[in-house]
Amino acid sequence: MATATTASNSQTTNGSSGPQKWVYAFNEVSQAEAAVGGRWDAVRSLLGGKGANLADMTRLDVPVPPGFTVTTEACNAYLSNNSTFPEGLWDQVLAAMQQVETLTDKKFGDTDNPLLVSVRSGAKFSMPGMMDTVLNLGLNDVSAQAMINLTQNPRFVYDIYRRLIQMFGTVVLGIEDEVFEDYLTEVKKNKGVTSDVALDADDWQRVTEEFKKRFAQAVGHEFPQDPSEQLRLAIEAVFKSWNGRRAIDYRNAAGIAHDLGTAVNIVTMVFGNMGENSGTGVAFTRNPSNGDRELFGDYLANAQGEDVVAGIRTPIPIERMKDENPEVFAQFMDITNKLERHYREMQDVEFTVERGRLWMLQTRDGKRTARAAIHIAVDLAEEGLITREEAVLRVKPEHVTQILHRQFDPEAKTRASNNGDLIAHGVNASPGAAVGVAVFDADLAETWGKSGRDVIMVRPETKPDDVHGMLSSRGILTSRGGATSHAAVVARQFGVPCVCGAESLEIDLYARELHVGDTIVREGDLLSIDGTLGEVFVGELPTIEPDFERETYLRKLLGWADAYRRLDVYANADYPNDARRARSYGAQGIGLCRTEHMFFQEERLPIMQAMILAEPGSEAEQKELDRLLPFQQDDFYGILKAMEGLPVIIRLLDPPLHEFMPDHEQLALRAAGLRLMGDRPNEITRIEDLMHAVETLKEFNPMLGLRGARLGLTRPAISRMQVRAIFEAACQLKEEGVDIHPEIMVAVTNVAAEVKALRELIDEVGREVMTRRGTTITYKVGTMIELPRAAITANQMAEFSDFFSFGTNDLTQTTFGISRDDAEGKFLLHYVEHGILPENPFQVLDREGVGFLVKTGVERGRSTRPNLEVGICGEHGGDASSIAFCHEANLNYVSCSPFRVPVARLAAAHASLNEAKAQQN
């Protein structure tokens, strides 16, 4: 027997004095439960998911090969003690091996009836293929001959011996797999075969001998003949694999903590490669792709487990096993049904049939697609295996996101990535998949889009006057900006997939092409963008189109979710079509109707620019506003009617006026061109007037400049026109018998006096319209809280406000003191990657800073007005973590883009149900 070096550790799992128990046999699950207080989740933490379930199956009398588990605590102790076994571990492993020998009537390393084992990893959370496994441990030259004598099957024995040498060499000692695979390929080629099955006993004996030689050449010593030494080294290899690169990368991607450690499961080997009455397979108790209630999996006769997983041979569908071995198949179905009922979840199982006897090697909750996750959760609830509350909690908000946005075919994406067609990564600004031809300006995007061509609009960044092109595009790609940039906000609003901040792209607007390394994409070339993952591909990838009305299971689940949530879910929508879409997705109102986008439409923008150029308070200004009034009235009529019976919060004009004006540099170039031609002097004069106005309106920091309430008070005629349009539309609808609930919101407020002054203006115009028309409208006036001072003085703001809406995009900017577009492109992602910030605060609400201001604003506002309605309308309104915070902060509603409404409905239900669970505990 080998001797393992140990390190001192006398603390037990349950905190009592005495030797630490590092090892639990599969029939000791009750002891493991007692050690951790009876909580199954804690058992999984101690034994890992695989070990816990193997022990649990043993307790259920499911046929599991005898074995034991080395705990995750042992792994962490080993890794923290300079790769040294903790005190007592090796002795406990040897004692457990003796128990397995008794149960199997075999001996580890015996020359007559040898016991062989597998050594497998098993963390608390499933990490398929990320850590190490070694099969057939215990074989050496002597025991191999004993196995031949016992089985009279030398082909089988040399097959498993060569597998052990190869797996031990690659997994435990780090030998390159090609050292073995190249020779095996050569053997098959020389024999004129392509499959391992075609090799006979003599072939496998030669392969085994050659593998031993190559092993020794690679590591400088012979393959270890001592089975205990094999076992010790294999356990160490599994421990070390917890910190392997692929395991770390997987945990990072899956959000799994790095301090959990992995358990090690030592299991008696059973063999599926002992003839045609043997085999191995992997199966799911339900279809993991679509969720249908049907057995789904693969089976291979005369094979070991890795043959299925590695794709060495082509398996057959699991249901064919029914024809080949009906008795075993019937037993298998009984067991899988039992396991699914026991765990109340779809199971992923591994099994082996050895000479007609079935052995279960693993069960775990099966991985599945988003669609399958929803389907299975609903079915399990309707079958009575779980409650509706559990079904709602089992479906993640990201599952809903994946279902409701266009998606690329996963297999096509994999092929494209392997072919080098994945050319850039950026911020996953707006989810979904889009394919179209590259276009480098908004006008052409609109022209081509309206003509029926699918367009990807490519810009360094987008501006408000690009909206027409954005609305005509299938997708948007920028090299600058982040998740809350203009492109991202508008894209999410209209459900357009968007990748922002792909900084590796060099966009040449004059040459109308982009460069990434040696790749050039010219205008008209095809691009495919994945807004869910922030990926950019050249060429066309096939997509899958979602349809909410056809998502029967999702709609049913969301109906259940609605019964549990306290938060209402509103939508941000600027046009009637968006409002109707939001309503069809379950929105209970419009939390933000942005009026600025309405002025960028082709027939309105010149009028808006003429109004801006006019002297404030002049007849010229009023003339242009009178021309805009019917447009605005029609806008509000449409959106109020679309949301009949539900509240609609309309925000008065927010952005600075320069955003409605042409770019100064472009105007200068046009004027210079006209002067060179000596043509159209009147046009030159008009352009020069525009240039002067643009220069006058220019601000060093427009985000903190003349906008929102400041603009409404310094140019009150604009506010009066907008308010009049709202009341005229509302009165008209009420006269038509439509139930309307308009709410008017002022933005960028800093002091209560601003709110007071604008409320007086709103009330004055409202009284005038209602008196003239003889119609009374019930309406509300509220304040958008997006500056820290407004939150701090919310008790004063509430004197003149019926509701608050936190604009968390700007509140995040002003709290952190950063520009969102600059920050995400320059340093914010670096901060997140290096742990300076836990998450991007423009995607997940910052609870310590911004959240503190939100809670302060809510508490102080309600101290003045106890029934004050409060919500958020920033991008955080569609983020699950931020929604949970809003629930904790006692907000009344969240508002998000229409396509995020189903996500918000589910996340709000999760917040309520998780709160109830926490209170019960």
Side-chain angles (χ1 to χ4, degrees):
M1 289 288 184
T3 301
T5 307
T6 62
S8 176
N9 189 323
S10 61
Q11 181 65 33
T12 63
T13 302
N14 60 12
S16 63
S17 60
Q20 170 81 30
K21 186 170 176 60
W22 302 111
V23 174
Y24 289 87
F26 291 164
N27 58 7
E28 293 181 328
V29 64
S30 296
Q31 289 182 241
E33 286 178 322
V36 295
R39 294 176 295 111
W40 187 248
D41 184 68
V43 174
R44 287 174 53 83
S45 296
L46 179 66
L47 303 181
K50 183 178 295 182
N53 287 351
L54 285 168
D56 201 27
M57 285 195 292
T58 300
R59 180 165 56 181
L60 292 170
D61 292 326
V62 170
V64 174
F68 58 91
T69 298
V70 180
T71 67
T72 58
E73 292 178 345
C75 173
N76 286 331
Y78 173 86
L79 295 175
S80 64
N81 284 308
N82 298 316
S83 300
T84 303
F85 277 175
E87 182 179 355
L89 170 58
W90 185 241
D91 290 339
Q92 292 180 33
V93 168
L94 296 179
M97 283 297 296
Q98 289 179 350
Q99 293 178 19
V100 174
E101 289 174 340
T102 300
L103 290 170
T104 60
D105 198 24
K106 297 179 180 181
K107 294 286 185 181
F108 195 50
D110 193 56
T111 57
D112 295 321
N113 190 18
L115 168 68
L116 305 185
V117 297
S118 64
V119 177
R120 298 173 182 266
S121 62
K124 178 180 181 180
F125 301 105
S126 176
M127 298 168 55
M130 295 302 108
M131 292 179 291
D132 288 337
T133 294
V134 182
L135 304 181
N136 309 321
L137 272 164
L139 267 180
N140 56 25
D141 293 346
V142 175
S143 60
Q145 186 58 53
M147 290 281 291
I148 293 172
N149 295 337
L150 279 171
T151 64
Q152 295 299 302
N153 190 343
R155 183 196 180 283
F156 155 71
V157 175
Y158 285 119
D159 182 16
I160 62 173
Y161 196 5
R162 66 89 188 177
R163 291 173 189 262
L164 170 61
I165 296 166
Q166 181 172 357
M167 293 184 78
F168 195 92
T170 56
V171 169
V172 177
L173 298 178
I175 302 173
E176 292 294 327
D177 200 50
E178 289 77 13
V179 171
F180 304 105
E181 283 297 322
D182 287 350
Y183 177 70
L184 185 55
T185 301
E186 180 184 334
V187 169
K188 288 187 285 188
K189 181 180 179 181
N190 291 339
K191 191 164 183 175
V193 300
T194 58
S195 171
D196 292 357
V197 179
L199 299 180
D200 59 23
D202 291 339
D203 297 323
W204 285 129
Q205 185 175 9
R206 284 194 298 273
V207 168
T208 301
E209 293 304 318
E210 180 63 26
F211 275 15
K212 285 193 288 187
K213 292 178 183 177
R214 291 177 175 235
F215 181 102
Q217 290 171 355
V219 298
H221 61 76
E222 300 294 326
F223 175 76
Q225 295 291 304
D226 181 353
S228 294
E229 178 71 2
Q230 295 175 13
L231 180 60
R232 183 184 66 80
L233 291 172
I235 292 172
E236 290 195 63
V238 174
F239 282 164
K240 291 175 181 176
S241 70
W242 174 255
N243 284 333
R245 179 176 178 179
R246 68 178 186 267
I248 291 173
D249 289 345
Y250 183 92
R251 293 197 297 272
N252 286 334
I256 297 173
H258 293 294
D259 60 355
L260 298 177
T262 181
V264 183
N265 300 289
I266 290 86
V267 188
T268 300
M269 282 297 305
V270 289
F271 300 99
N273 56 339
M274 295 189 74
E276 290 305 315
N277 64 344
S278 302
T280 188
V282 176
F284 294 82
T285 57
R286 303 192 185 219
N287 190 311
S289 179
N290 58 31
D292 286 348
R293 191 179 181 184
E294 62 184 11
L295 191 65
F296 180 97
D298 295 319
Y299 175 75
L300 264 177
N302 196 20
Q304 278 203 295
E306 71 266 25
D307 293 342
V308 176
V309 177
I312 296 170
R313 291 166 53 193
T314 302
I316 62 173
I318 186 71
E319 57 267 21
R320 294 254 302 272
M321 181 181 163
K322 181 178 181 180
D323 300 323
E324 296 190 359
N325 203 333
E327 291 183 6
V328 171
F329 184 78
Q331 182 191 10
F332 177 73
M333 290 298 296
D334 288 343
I335 290 172
T336 54
N337 288 333
K338 181 179 184 178
L339 292 174
E340 186 174 90
R341 288 194 304 271
H342 177 70
Y343 291 108
R344 303 182 311 124
E345 178 61 287
M346 183 261 275
Q347 293 297 290
D348 167 10
V349 300
E350 295 180 14
F351 66 95
T352 286
V353 180
E354 182 183 81
R355 292 179 171 175
R357 184 174 182 184
L358 175 65
W359 295 97
M360 303 301 294
L361 305 181
Q362 174 171 281
T363 189
R364 61 187 174 192
D365 294 347
K367 305 292 185 183
R368 66 208 72 182
T369 65
R371 176 165 279 102
I374 295 167
H375 188 159
I376 291 169
V378 171
D379 278 355
L380 290 175
E382 294 190 329
E383 292 163 20
L385 287 177
I386 62 175
T387 65
R388 289 184 175 184
E389 292 95 327
E390 289 174 303
V392 169
L393 285 170
R394 284 188 180 183
V395 175
K396 300 177 181 178
E398 51 264 36
H399 289 148
V400 181
T401 299
Q402 293 170 29
I403 287 290
L404 292 180
H405 288 277
R406 291 176 64 91
Q407 304 163 34
F408 288 123
D409 182 336
E411 293 182 1
K413 279 189 67 177
T414 300
R415 289 195 299 271
S417 299
N418 292 338
N419 292 337
D421 293 336
L422 175 59
I423 60 170
H425 289 85
V427 177
N428 50 334
S430 181
V435 179
V437 294
V439 172
F440 292 86
D441 72 77
D443 292 337
L444 186 59
E446 181 183 44
T447 300
W448 283 9
K450 287 184 175 179
S451 71
R453 299 186 71 178
D454 292 339
V455 168
I456 303 293
M457 195 172 83
V458 183
R459 302 283 295 169
E461 61 190 12
T462 64
K463 298 179 181 179
D465 55 5
D466 290 326
V467 166
H468 61 293
M470 298 169 76
L471 295 179
S472 300
S473 300
R474 292 289 186 184
I476 300 162
L477 173 62
T478 72
S479 58
R480 294 196 289 266
T484 53
S485 64
H486 174 266
V489 172
V490 173
R492 281 192 292 272
Q493 167 72 26
F494 296 103
V496 179
C498 177
V499 176
C500 289
E503 294 189 332
S504 62
L505 301 180
E506 297 177 19
I507 299 174
D508 188 338
L509 295 177
Y510 295 99
R512 307 186 81 80
E513 60 188 28
L514 68 84
H515 300 252
V516 185
D518 296 330
T519 300
I520 300 176
V521 177
R522 297 181 174 85
E523 193 157 69
D525 291 346
L526 281 167
L527 283 174
S528 298
I529 65 170
D530 187 336
T532 304
L533 297 177
E535 297 173 335
V536 183
F537 298 82
V538 291
E540 179 176 5
L541 298 184
T543 59
I544 303 168
E545 183 73 53
D547 183 350
F548 184 69
E549 292 301 315
R550 297 178 61 183
E551 297 293 343
T552 306
Y553 287 95
L554 175 58
R555 292 171 65 199
K556 179 177 288 188
L557 183 96
L558 292 177
W560 297 348
D562 291 340
Y564 304 123
R565 61 183 170 87
R566 179 180 57 76
L567 282 169
D568 286 340
V569 176
Y570 291 6
N572 303 337
D574 304 338
Y575 301 104
N577 284 342
D578 302 321
R580 283 187 285 270
R581 181 185 295 116
R583 189 165 191 161
S584 73
Y585 284 172
Q588 296 165 282
I590 299 301
L592 177 62
C593 174
R594 291 166 287 213
T595 56
E596 56 266 19
H597 290 156
M598 303 169 181
F599 295 119
F600 284 104
Q601 295 182 24
E602 188 174 351
E603 68 275 22
R604 307 180 190 192
L605 189 57
I607 304 173
M608 186 68 177
Q609 291 174 345
M611 184 276 295
I612 293 170
L613 291 173
E615 185 70 24
S618 66
E619 290 184 6
E621 179 192 52
Q622 190 59 51
K623 174 186 174 184
E624 303 303 333
L625 287 171
D626 289 344
R627 294 176 65 194
L628 287 172
L629 177 64
F631 290 119
Q632 283 273 268
Q633 183 174 335
D634 186 59
D635 293 331
F636 300 141
Y637 178 93
I639 199 164
L640 287 167
K641 186 174 183 179
M643 298 303 291
E644 179 177 5
L646 298 175
V648 177
I649 299 176
I650 301 169
R651 183 180 70 185
L652 299 182
L653 194 64
D654 176 38
L657 293 178
H658 77 86
E659 289 198 7
F660 299 96
M661 303 300 286
D663 180 75
H664 188 278
E665 184 178 346
Q666 291 180 354
L667 289 171
L669 289 172
R670 280 183 63 188
L674 290 172
R675 289 194 195 96
L676 284 174
M677 294 189 307
D679 192 19
R680 303 171 65 188
N682 291 339
E683 178 66 6
I684 293 175
T685 301
R686 189 187 74 82
I687 292 174
E688 288 175 343
D689 289 342
L690 276 174
M691 291 171 60
H692 175 72
V694 169
E695 190 64 30
T696 302
L697 293 169
K698 183 179 179 180
E699 295 177 293
F700 288 107
N701 193 342
M703 183 260 180
L704 298 177
L706 184 60
R707 52 178 289 224
R710 305 158 194 166
L711 178 62
L713 290 171
T714 56
R715 298 197 68 166
I718 299 175
S719 296
R720 288 180 178 276
M721 181 275 293
Q722 289 197 292
V723 173
R724 183 177 302 280
I726 293 170
F727 278 98
E728 292 283 3
C731 287
Q732 181 181 347
L733 285 164
K734 186 168 184 182
E735 291 160 6
E736 295 172 2
V738 179
D739 181 20
I740 42 89
H741 299 270
E743 302 184 17
I744 302 172
M745 181 165 66
V746 295
V748 200
T749 54
N750 225 347
V751 293
E754 293 172 319
V755 184
K756 180 176 182 291
L758 284 169
R759 170 135 207 171
E760 290 172 349
L761 181 152
I762 292 166
D763 290 342
E764 176 192 338
V765 173
R767 282 193 301 271
E768 186 273 318
V769 173
M770 289 188 288
T771 300
R772 175 169 48 79
R773 299 188 70 127
T775 301
T776 301
I777 298 295
T778 300
Y779 65 95
K780 296 178 182 178
V781 177
T783 306
M784 194 169 185
I785 307 293
E786 47 197 326
L787 298 172
R789 190 183 191 282
I792 294 168
T793 61
N795 56 319
Q796 300 172 27
M797 298 285 188
E799 292 182 36
F800 312 103
S801 304
D802 301 314
F803 66 90
F804 285 168
S805 180
F806 284 90
T808 51
N809 295 344
D810 280 354
L811 187 58
T812 298
Q813 289 194 97
T814 53
T815 300
F816 276 87
I818 56 179
S819 161
R820 63 192 181 193
D821 290 344
D822 292 331
E824 288 189 315
K826 302 296 183 183
F827 67 87
L828 198 54
L829 297 182
H830 175 86
Y831 271 31
V832 174
E833 289 173 359
H834 290 80
I836 298 171
L837 286 173
E839 291 166 303
N840 183 338
F842 292 111
Q843 295 181 339
V844 179
L845 191 136
D846 161 52
R847 297 189 178 210
E848 292 182 349
V850 177
F852 173 80
L853 289 173
V854 171
K855 285 187 173 180
T856 299
V858 173
E859 292 166 2
R860 294 194 174 186
R862 286 180 177 158
S863 70
T864 298
R865 193 180 292 262
N867 295 324
L868 183 75
E869 291 183 4
V870 184
I872 68 167
C873 61
E875 293 300 306
H876 301 100
D879 169 67
S881 173
S882 306
I883 290 169
F885 167 81
C886 293
H887 176 90
E888 296 166 14
N890 292 315
L891 270 63
N892 298 95
Y893 69 87
V894 296
S895 188
C896 56
S897 69
F899 291 95
R900 299 289 292 177
V901 166
V903 178
R905 290 167 63 189
L906 180 65
H910 280 194
S912 292
L913 291 170
N914 286 329
E915 180 184 61
K917 285 174 62 178
Q919 290 172 349
Q920 290 172 0
N921 295 332

